[in-house]
Amino acid sequence: MQKVLSRRGPRRTTRPPSRRDSRRPAARPPRVAPHPAELFTERLILVLAGHKPPFWFARHTAGHAFEDLIWLLAHRPLARSGPRPTIHDIGHFEPATGTYEVFARIAVGPRLHALAFRLTRTPDLRWRCTAVELDTRPPRETY
């Protein structure tokens, strides 16, 4: 036995035609995906504050960024107890297509910290963190 699923002719529905009711609120606008700068700032804060292990962030790094993160964790830049770090402001600059230099102000209690990192889009279209700096770290030595 062969079943054929085809419809011929107009489709019949039992629902009444939709109506436009001005008393109802408008539909919600579609949710916009957060910018990569916002996502990576939140992820870095979780690691720097000790709420997530550094290896949780390792797959999002490339180059020296993971070594920079480990150095920062060894010197305890953000409080691991007390008030949770909060993001005050995030900004970014696009020096080239597929690269963002991100800066953020992080508050831990009454103190503000400056966080800077670089995001690069890899050929597989994923964002990777390639450099991380916090106000407590001296500049990297160049060889």
Side-chain angles (χ1 to χ4, degrees):
M1 177 198 280
Q2 183 180 11
K3 291 186 178 181
V4 177
L5 300 174
S6 64
R7 294 181 184 221
R8 293 186 182 160
R11 187 174 168 188
R12 296 182 186 184
T13 61
T14 57
R15 294 184 334 188
S18 61
R19 66 175 192 200
R20 304 277 183 221
D21 191 349
S22 61
R23 295 173 291 171
R24 289 187 174 179
R28 288 187 196 168
R31 184 173 174 169
V32 178
H35 193 274
E38 296 172 3
L39 291 175
F40 276 82
T41 302
E42 291 172 3
R43 290 174 183 167
L44 278 169
I45 298 262
L46 287 172
V47 173
L48 291 171
H51 298 291
K52 293 283 187 181
F55 297 104
W56 176 75
F57 190 73
R59 67 186 185 108
H60 301 292
T61 63
H64 296 288
F66 190 70
E67 295 169 7
D68 295 343
L69 187 62
I70 296 297
W71 189 95
L72 289 171
L73 287 170
H75 292 81
R76 302 179 186 262
L78 298 180
R80 296 179 192 256
S81 61
R84 290 181 66 109
T86 56
I87 301 170
H88 262 254
D89 190 23
I90 299 174
H92 67 274
F93 171 70
E94 189 172 1
T97 304
T99 303
Y100 288 121
E101 291 184 356
V102 183
F103 48 92
R105 283 186 284 191
I106 312 300
V108 181
R111 178 150 187 219
L112 280 177
H113 293 273
L115 173 68
F117 57 95
R118 179 178 290 125
L119 293 177
T120 305
R121 195 160 200 176
T122 57
D124 62 353
L125 301 179
R126 294 183 185 195
W127 290 100
R128 302 277 187 222
C129 181
T130 56
V132 180
E133 290 186 14
L134 198 65
D135 57 359
T136 57
R137 180 178 178 151
R140 175 188 288 276
E141 295 178 19
T142 57
Y143 299 105

